[in-house]
Each structure stands twice: as C-alpha cells, then as structure tokens.
C-alpha cells in the first residue's frame, strides 16, 4: 500500500490529499445513504456507503492511534473452498506506528449470521498470510451507548483550531488542579465559558469517560486521551 504522510492539526476544509477508491462508491439507492465525511485525520472528504460507516469515521477521527484513513483501499483475492473470491475492504487505517490496519464495518446482526462470519474468518486468515492486520468492527462497538453521541457533540470543535489562548488555559488549569479529575462545570467556571474546555477535549488534550453522556458533572482529566475502542475485533 502507498505510504502516506500525516500532517498534524485540524483540517480547514481545503483538500490536501487525494485518494482514489479501487471501486466506485455507488450512488444512493433505496434506504441506503452515501456521502462524504470531512475527516480531520485524512485531511479530505472520505467517502462512505452506509450511515454505520459514517459513524465509524467519527471514532477513527477521534482515536489518537489513527493518523490517516483510506476508503475502499485495495482489491483482495482469497480462497474459500474450491472457489476464488474477490473482496474490497471498507477502510485501511494508517496507525501512529506506521502499520496499516484493514477494517470491515458490519452490523452486529449481519456478522452473527454463520455464513457471513465464516466468510470473514476466511478473509482474515488470507489477509494474515499476506501480512495484513484485519479486523471487523460492528455496530455494537461503533454505536455503544453515549459514546457516539459524545463524539458528534465534539465534532465541530474538533474541526476548529487551537489558539495560544487555549494552550495557555490548559497550562493554567494544570497549575491550578494538577492531575486530579475536575468536573466540567468547575472547569467552565474557571475558564469563563465551556467552549475552550470542549475545544481541548475535542483535540484530545484533556479527557473524560466517553461511555458516559457528557454533562456539567462529567469529570475531566487534564491529560491526553487514550482510546482503544475503535480496534475491537468482533470476529
């Protein structure tokens, strides 16, 4: 796969990278929704074919381990019984350590079907033999209670840049509170309003439990976020 260079910082909306999927993302039909996701990590519009894929991109954009995203990255052949089949993954994620993680996104009830699960076990084994890391991420992980709602709330401030005032505020908060968890309401009172706290949270410079709905009582830790929920393999 092509090695990509990741440029840090929020994406302003100007396309700075190009990627051509190996197959065309089809036009919307029936109840299916296709669209473009403005990704901070990919620094471009990433195409998605289902709302579940769009929701998965929210997780990827917030995960510090992910530095780039490619949709429909390559075509892959694998043997299942006496039949040679073709498969195109949903995404390939470039990780901070330079490795590539190939990802299939599936509804949990679809993956629970024996024939579907068997297919992806064959694919995973074939991927492993060719040196690819491969996981299937399901709706159970992507749409865990509260987490996705929190990430969508942080979506807009994630696309807004950090200023020197935000970084100075972070230093002030660290000097005042240290590493002890502080409620969002108390940090808001110190900062004067909530926007800079949400901006720091969206950029991963402070952290909280994203599996609990963010509220004034949410405890914020003044350390960088560490998330691994994106990489839960459902196979």
């Amino acid at each position: 796969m092509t090695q990509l260079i990741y440029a840090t910082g929020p994406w302003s909306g100007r396309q700075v990278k190009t990627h051509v999927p190996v197959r065309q993302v089809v036009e919307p039909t029936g109840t299916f929704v296709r669209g473009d996701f403005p990704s901070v990590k990919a620094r471009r519009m990433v195409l998605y074919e289902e709302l579940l894929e769009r929701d998965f991109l929210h997780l990827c954009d917030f995960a510090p381990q992910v530095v780039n995203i490619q949709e429909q990255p390559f075509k892959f052949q694998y043997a299942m019984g006496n039949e040679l089949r073709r498969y195109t993954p949903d995404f390939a994620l470039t990780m901070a350590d330079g490795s590539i993680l190939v990802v299939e996104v599936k509804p949990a009830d679809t993956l629970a079907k024996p024939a579907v699960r068997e297919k992806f076990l064959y694919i995973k084994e074939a991927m492993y033999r060719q040196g690819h890391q491969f996981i299937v991420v399901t709706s159970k992980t992507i749409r865990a209670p509260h987490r996705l709602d929190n990430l969508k709330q942080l979506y807009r401030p994630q696309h807004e840049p950090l200023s020197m005032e935000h970084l100075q505020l972070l230093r002030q908060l660290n000097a005042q509170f240290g590493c002890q968890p502080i409620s969002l309401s108390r940090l808001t009172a110190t900062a004067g309003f909530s926007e800079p706290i949400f901006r720091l949270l969206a950029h991963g410079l402070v952290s909280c439990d994203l599996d609990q709905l963010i509220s004034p009582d949410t405890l914020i830790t003044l350390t960088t976020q560490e998330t691994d929920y994106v990489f839960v393999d459902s196979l």
Side-chain angles (χ1 to χ4, degrees), residues 84-122:
L84 187 63
R85 301 186 176 187
R86 289 185 177 182
Y87 165 68
T88 302
D90 290 329
F91 299 103
L93 308 179
T94 303
M95 312 304 284
D97 62 2
S99 64
I100 303 295
L101 180 64
V102 183
V103 179
E104 175 71 21
V105 173
K106 272 283 176 283
D109 56 352
T110 299
L111 188 64
K113 297 176 181 178
V116 175
R117 188 172 185 86
E118 181 184 22
K119 168 188 171 181
F120 282 106
L121 285 171
Y122 270 96

Side-chain angles (χ1 to χ4, degrees), residues 4-150:
L4 297 173
I5 300 173
Y6 172 61
T8 59
W11 177 48
S12 64
R14 183 173 60 88
Q15 190 94 350
V16 294
K17 292 182 180 179
T18 59
H19 165 66
V20 179
V22 295
R23 70 174 177 82
Q24 184 178 4
V25 175
V26 298
E27 293 297 320
T29 57
T31 59
F32 291 96
V33 178
R34 275 72 171 176
D36 303 320
F37 180 85
S39 169
V40 171
K41 294 298 178 69
R43 300 178 68 80
R44 62 179 177 84
M45 304 297 287
V46 176
L47 302 175
Y48 62 84
E49 292 188 319
E50 301 174 352
L51 291 179
L52 187 61
E53 289 187 6
R54 181 203 63 186
D55 292 345
F56 173 72
L57 291 170
H58 277 288
L59 270 66
C60 292
D61 250 17
F62 202 73
Q65 301 95 329
V66 177
V67 297
N68 193 35
I69 305 165
Q70 287 184 314
E71 70 278 29
Q72 312 288 333
F74 58 87
K75 292 182 179 180
F76 182 83
Q77 288 188 329
Y78 68 100
M80 189 170 178
N82 296 323
E83 184 180 356
L84 187 63
R85 301 186 176 187
R86 289 185 177 182
Y87 165 68
T88 302
D90 290 329
F91 299 103
L93 308 179
T94 303
M95 312 304 284
D97 62 2
S99 64
I100 303 295
L101 180 64
V102 183
V103 179
E104 175 71 21
V105 173
K106 272 283 176 283
D109 56 352
T110 299
L111 188 64
K113 297 176 181 178
V116 175
R117 188 172 185 86
E118 181 184 22
K119 168 188 171 181
F120 282 106
L121 285 171
Y122 270 96
I123 290 172
K124 183 173 185 176
E125 182 179 352
M127 287 266 186
Y128 179 78
R129 288 198 301 268
Q130 295 195 22
H132 297 296
Q133 300 180 67
F134 176 78
I135 63 174
V136 178
V137 181
T138 70
S139 52
K140 185 177 180 180
T141 295
I142 297 169
R143 293 174 174 167
H146 302 311
R147 183 194 301 147
L148 185 61
D149 290 334
N150 287 332

Side-chain angles (χ1 to χ4, degrees), residues 147-163:
R147 183 194 301 147
L148 185 61
D149 290 334
N150 287 332
L151 294 184
K152 288 182 177 180
Q153 184 178 0
L154 296 171
Y155 174 79
R156 183 178 295 277
Q158 188 183 26
H159 283 73
E160 297 169 347
L162 288 169
S163 66

